Amino acid sequence: MIAELGHAALWLAAALALLQLVGGALALREGEADGIAGLARPAAILQGGLAGFAFFALLYVFAVTDLSVKLVAANSHSLKPLIFKLSGAWGNHEGSMLLWVTVMALAGGLIAAVERRLPEKTMQATLAAQGFVALGFYAFLLLSSNPFERLPEPAMEGLGLNPLLQDIGLALHPPTLYFGYVGLSVAFSFAVGAMLTRSVTPDFARAMRPWVLGAWVFLTLGITAGSYWAYYELGWGGWWFWDPVENASLMPWLAATALLHSVSVLASRDALRVWTIMLGVVAFSMSMLGTFLVRSGVLTSVHAFAVDPERGSFILALLAVYIGGALLLFALRASSISEGERFAVASREGALVFNNVMLSAILAVVLLGTLYPLLTEAFDVRVSVGPPYFNPVSAIFTIPMLLVMAVGPLLRWRGDSFARISKELALIAALVIAGLIFFALFEGGALLPLLGLALAVMLAVASFLPLRGRNLKRLPIAVWGMVVAHFGIAVALFGMASESAFSTERLAALEVGQSATVGPWEVELASVQPVAGPNWTAIEGRMLASYKGGEGQPIAPQSRNFWAPAQQTTESVLLTRWNGQLYAVMGNEANDGRWQLRLWWKPFVTFIWYGGMLVALGGVLAIIGRVQQDLKRRSIRRKGAVRRADMETV
Amino acid sequence: MKAKHQRLVLIALALAALVGAGLLAAYALRNQASYFYLPEQMAANPPEPGQAVRLGGMVEPGSLETLPDGVTVTFAVTGREDSRIPVRFAGILPDLFVEGSGVVAEGRLGADGTFVADNLLAKHDENYVPRELEGMSEHQAAEMAEETTVGLE
């Protein structure tokens, strides 16, 4: 029953999306804000509610393990812990598409409910665009990926969930990432709405900014969480593999990062109008491209659930309609969006434009590297593109970007001179050179990690330079947001460079009682025990790890055997200190009774994820600051209007 | 500078950077994409020693050996036409790595003709097969399986 209600709610929500589209189109044509067009807002809010209900219905059938629902039977198991039953609802193709559509509908409902700053006509056009995009994905869900399909006969038992996904990571990583991915649809719809009604103004940018920031914060958190999850779950000791699916999340992040900076320029200086619109379109296009890559089955990875060519062509068609349509609209309207304000090269805008271009160049590099294997496969040549391509080629654009990132916030808007900030420039240059020399003495090896370390130290200092000579108590919260986010980038960069420069690895085969050293650690294999969990059994290695001869801390990596579905996984163990992590993986038993053990000491590796969290925190501060400013601005306007009205009555 | 000029200059610079990125990417991709080899291709036309490539085929039954250090393994990857490439790998074998099944080894061909693998990709679960082995399951794996089972009988 609940499944049928969820299914019906989805059809109703799709109908409301159609109403939104028609209403918005009428508003554009007739120029009326009432009648059907006036229904766009309520329709969007109701649509969000219905999609939310459908999603809860799916959670419910998973929670009670209703085995007459095909999706539950294929992906769940009555013996799974409840948290994994619930998160298993989106650990499959249909469920994850439902999550996608739900987030899209909720975002649409939210802007309809709270966004009052824009002209009503632009707002209706925006909701029409949001409805139009949602409609395509409702069609995809209902026609080719119905999550509520029933089985003719209920199954006796579910097939279970991939054990790699039976982890708290699945509960956190996909929803966060989807809020980011699909949250960018709002930026896309705003851009389309503004193009349709030709109102690309600073007010429009101020309305769009919190939504872009919000989506970007979720995207940042989602990528950070996903990276950490891959790091500890896969047991390979790496945190980023340039896997196509990882790239699919990085590309919208790069575009969104560029967008949130250019939208700031538009909001404060009324420049970069066309560029901002373009980025609004590109950012969500990258989200949809990512969805296509992951959900169509053109790629094989732990992220791709089922290979079904029909679904692939469906998403490809949606992609062509939405991206193609938006780009066509852009081509038609770009020339009619009038020129914004001018600025000098040496100015805040100049630096932001430079970094926007660098981010776009990195995006192009990642995009080409991700699609290249797909292209060559069409000619039956199989290649794989990995770190030897991505690392140096993206670094060529990342290094100048990091340098300008340190300088840009010191420059004034509109026009400035480098002479004015010559002291700061000298400090930045000195820090880079000192950092290079200092770390070269330690490491002296590969160039990229060395540059990374030096640039990270420089940026960590430089990110606080904009605070110099300012009253910290009266500093707007949004400026704190920028400082924290830029500092977060420096912290993450330091972690990445340190991991790649200073990691040590040790492979050893140990008898019980023997020990191995890695970096400052000594690890002793105390015993090997069989253990059992709710749906698995495992061999557990009990070890004592001591740091620089200190007291031994117990660690117990496992090699697990799941039985539904039957699969072996390695459960690595991480021992975290402030200055790094010990990473231990238990391997197989060698022929002579020794046990294989793989150990890493990764100095400062945790900084990667602390940095990611700081970046997201910066985004949150920026949202708070901007919303606060906006409320203040509106209350001043309101008071002014009231006073004028009073004057008139007098 | 007039407004229109500034806009043009900006567009030109942005385009130049993007085209530059594209060209650079294309150049690097031609040089750095690691190519996939079947054992017979590697035997007939070996890659440069030190170049990152992938080797995919069947793990020859009976060839898996662990060296005295307990962590380095050697085995042979076979394809059709009696081609056989010895592989050396130091590390923990992937969970589903077994003799007689498919594997993709990432690494470099050494000067002595042994392929030194940095990483092994085996079938991960029923849904995850390394991309390169996928096409093989149709035309080649069947043949390969036949040949390998002939040896077993």
Side-chain angles (χ1 to χ4, degrees):
Chain A
M1 185 61 195
I2 295 287
E4 278 67 33
L5 283 179
H7 193 195
L10 277 182
W11 277 104
L12 269 178
L16 286 167
L18 183 64
L19 180 63
Q20 249 171 274
L21 174 61
V22 172
L26 284 177
L28 282 178
R29 193 124 176 244
E30 318 275 322
E32 280 177 41
D34 307 327
I36 297 181
L39 292 177
R41 267 184 204 268
I45 296 171
L46 196 57
Q47 189 210 329
L50 284 168
F53 174 79
F55 188 69
F56 272 107
L58 188 72
L59 285 183
Y60 177 80
V61 292
F62 267 88
V64 301
T65 320
D66 181 346
L67 291 168
S68 65
V69 176
K70 193 176 164 195
L71 194 64
V72 178
N75 293 290
S76 199
H77 193 282
S78 56
L79 291 180
K80 249 184 343 180
L82 181 65
I83 174 78
F84 300 141
K85 281 184 186 169
L86 289 178
S87 55
W90 55 78
N92 56 71
H93 170 83
E94 288 82 358
S96 75
M97 283 316 298
L98 178 59
L99 178 62
W100 208 99
V101 167
T102 304
V103 174
M104 175 135 201
L106 288 176
L110 208 59
I111 48 171
V114 306
E115 194 54 70
R116 305 268 166 208
R117 281 166 288 190
L118 288 180
E120 196 55 26
K121 204 170 148 187
T122 306
M123 200 55 218
Q124 280 160 353
T126 301
L127 289 176
Q130 187 82 3
F132 185 44
V133 178
L135 202 56
F137 285 91
Y138 280 120
F140 178 62
L141 196 61
L142 289 166
L143 302 180
S144 88
S145 319
N146 178 13
F148 295 110
E149 197 178 328
R150 293 272 189 189
L151 287 172
E153 291 275 321
M156 295 301 288
E157 184 48 278
L159 294 176
L161 177 70
N162 182 340
L164 281 176
L165 298 180
Q166 297 196 23
D167 185 271
I168 191 70
L170 181 67
L172 300 174
H173 162 64
T176 348
L177 203 56
Y178 272 30
F179 273 106
Y181 254 24
V182 189
L184 286 175
S185 68
V186 175
F188 178 88
S189 300
F190 269 126
V192 170
M195 280 195 282
L196 285 171
T197 55
R198 294 189 173 86
S199 62
V200 186
T201 58
D203 267 339
F204 155 77
R206 275 193 279 272
M208 179 164 152
R209 179 158 56 186
W211 303 101
V212 175
L213 274 168
W216 178 80
V217 165
F218 278 114
L219 211 47
T220 309
L221 285 175
I223 294 173
T224 308
S227 156
Y228 192 65
W229 186 20
Y231 170 75
Y232 78 72
E233 179 72 22
L234 292 178
W236 298 341
W239 54 275
W240 190 266
F241 301 95
W242 293 107
D243 176 275
V245 177
E246 291 172 332
N247 296 346
S249 69
L250 180 64
M251 290 189 285
W253 186 85
L254 289 168
T257 310
L259 174 62
L260 77 91
H261 288 93
S262 88
V263 92
S264 285
V265 176
L266 181 56
S268 356
R269 289 276 304 133
D270 197 10
L272 300 186
R273 294 175 176 176
V274 176
W275 179 251
T276 304
I277 293 290
M278 180 72 193
L279 282 176
V281 170
V282 167
F284 184 58
S285 301
M286 288 299 136
S287 294
M288 286 195 284
L289 181 71
T291 308
F292 167 70
L293 289 176
V294 181
R295 290 284 158 268
S296 65
V298 290
L299 298 174
T300 326
S301 85
V302 278
H303 294 84
F305 299 116
V307 183
D308 184 343
E310 182 205 337
R311 286 172 178 167
S313 9
F314 202 133
I315 301 189
L316 194 60
L318 288 180
L319 210 66
V321 169
Y322 294 132
I323 302 179
L327 289 180
L328 184 68
L329 182 65
F330 179 79
L332 292 174
R333 287 289 158 91
S335 60
S336 72
I337 299 171
S338 60
E339 178 63 29
E341 295 286 324
R342 276 183 295 158
F343 50 86
V345 174
S347 67
R348 183 78 67 85
E349 294 98 313
L352 285 168
V353 165
F354 181 84
N355 273 4
N356 256 277
V357 172
M358 288 300 116
L359 281 167
S360 313
I362 300 169
L363 174 59
V365 166
V366 177
L367 182 65
L368 286 169
T370 309
L371 296 183
Y372 185 70
L374 295 178
L375 292 177
T376 61
E377 199 166 307
F379 301 99
D380 223 21
V381 177
R382 289 186 172 175
V383 300
S384 61
V385 181
Y389 162 77
F390 286 107
N391 287 343
V393 181
S394 59
I396 290 174
F397 299 98
T398 310
I399 292 164
M401 185 186 78
L402 291 168
L403 289 170
V404 173
M405 197 174 142
V407 177
L410 305 170
L411 291 166
R412 291 182 181 142
W413 291 108
R414 196 178 173 88
D416 201 345
S417 74
F418 290 118
R420 191 184 64 82
I421 54 163
S422 58
K423 271 186 203 156
E424 286 89 343
L425 289 179
L427 175 66
I428 287 170
L431 279 170
V432 174
I433 293 166
L436 279 176
I437 294 171
F438 178 76
F439 289 114
L441 291 178
F442 265 107
E443 201 252 336
L447 177 67
L448 280 184
L450 193 65
L451 273 169
L453 288 166
L455 286 170
V457 170
M458 176 280 290
L459 188 60
V461 176
S463 55
F464 289 100
L465 286 180
L467 301 180
R468 235 168 50 107
R470 297 187 70 164
N471 182 342
L472 294 189
K473 279 184 192 153
R474 295 175 59 186
L475 202 63
I477 299 176
V479 175
W480 280 113
M482 174 192 77
V483 168
V484 171
H486 284 188
F487 180 66
I489 295 280
V491 172
L493 179 66
F494 187 81
M496 296 172 197
S498 167
E499 195 268 343
S500 107
F502 302 124
S503 282
T504 45
E505 184 185 347
R506 179 72 197 274
L507 257 167
L510 298 184
E511 282 169 31
V512 170
Q514 283 184 326
S515 60
T517 55
V518 57
W521 291 90
E522 181 162 359
V523 178
E524 187 197 336
L525 182 64
S527 68
V528 177
Q529 308 273 347
V531 286
N535 51 355
W536 47 266
T537 55
I539 296 286
E540 183 176 276
R542 307 241 166 109
M543 303 166 202
L544 282 175
S546 64
Y547 182 78
K548 289 190 174 163
E551 201 176 319
Q553 302 169 58
I555 54 172
Q558 297 175 342
S559 173
R560 274 189 199 172
N561 280 303
F562 283 80
W563 58 72
Q567 187 175 338
Q568 209 182 34
T569 69
T570 48
E571 293 293 308
S572 53
V573 163
L574 295 168
L575 206 59
T576 309
R577 283 175 55 86
W578 66 273
N579 61 348
Q581 273 180 333
L582 174 73
Y583 190 126
V585 180
M586 177 87 178
N588 307 317
E589 186 174 14
N591 303 336
D592 51 5
R594 288 184 296 174
W595 292 88
Q596 290 181 341
L597 194 59
R598 192 168 194 181
L599 303 165
W600 283 275
W601 165 238
K602 292 173 175 292
F604 299 108
V605 66
T606 43
F607 279 35
I608 298 172
W609 305 290
Y610 293 145
M613 286 189 276
L614 278 174
V615 173
L617 174 67
V620 172
L621 289 177
I623 297 175
I624 295 173
R626 295 305 178 193
V627 169
Q628 211 178 41
Q629 263 176 5
D630 197 67
L631 291 177
K632 215 178 276 173
R633 189 178 292 125
R634 265 191 278 178
S635 89
I636 291 170
R637 268 189 209 168
R638 205 177 313 123
K639 275 180 198 150
V642 169
R643 199 166 302 147
R644 265 196 304 281
D646 287 349
M647 298 286 276
E648 275 164 23
T649 50
V650 168
Chain B
M1 215 175 354
K2 278 185 189 160
K4 199 157 213 174
H5 286 162
Q6 184 172 39
R7 192 186 216 182
L8 281 178
V9 170
L10 278 179
I11 292 172
L13 284 177
L15 271 182
L18 285 178
V19 170
L23 289 177
L24 190 68
Y27 173 77
L29 280 171
R30 283 188 52 179
N31 288 312
Q32 281 168 336
S34 66
Y35 286 88
F36 178 75
Y37 285 81
L38 291 169
E40 57 267 27
Q41 293 168 333
M42 189 170 277
N45 189 11
E48 300 264 308
Q51 192 196 345
V53 293
R54 289 178 164 202
L55 167 70
M58 292 285 168
V59 182
E60 191 183 46
S63 70
L64 185 65
E65 265 180 58
T66 308
L67 299 188
D69 70 351
V71 287
T72 307
V73 293
T74 58
F75 57 91
V77 170
T78 56
R80 286 172 296 174
E81 301 160 18
D82 292 335
S83 47
R84 178 175 185 284
I85 306 283
V87 179
R88 190 169 73 236
F89 172 70
I92 291 175
L93 293 172
D95 298 330
L96 294 179
F97 180 91
V98 273
E99 292 183 339
S101 84
V103 69
V104 172
E106 291 181 327
R108 290 158 181 80
L109 190 62
D112 60 350
T114 302
F115 189 84
V116 182
D118 309 320
N119 198 9
L120 296 180
L121 310 169
K123 196 168 174 285
H124 216 224
D125 63 39
E126 70 271 28
N127 297 320
Y128 181 52
V129 183
R131 185 97 197 133
E132 290 85 351
L133 287 186
E134 234 182 36
M136 204 150 75
S137 57
E138 293 151 21
H139 15 80
Q140 290 158 329
E143 281 176 47
M144 230 182 250
E146 254 176 39
E147 284 166 24
T148 42
T149 44
V150 167
L152 283 176
E153 278 161 0

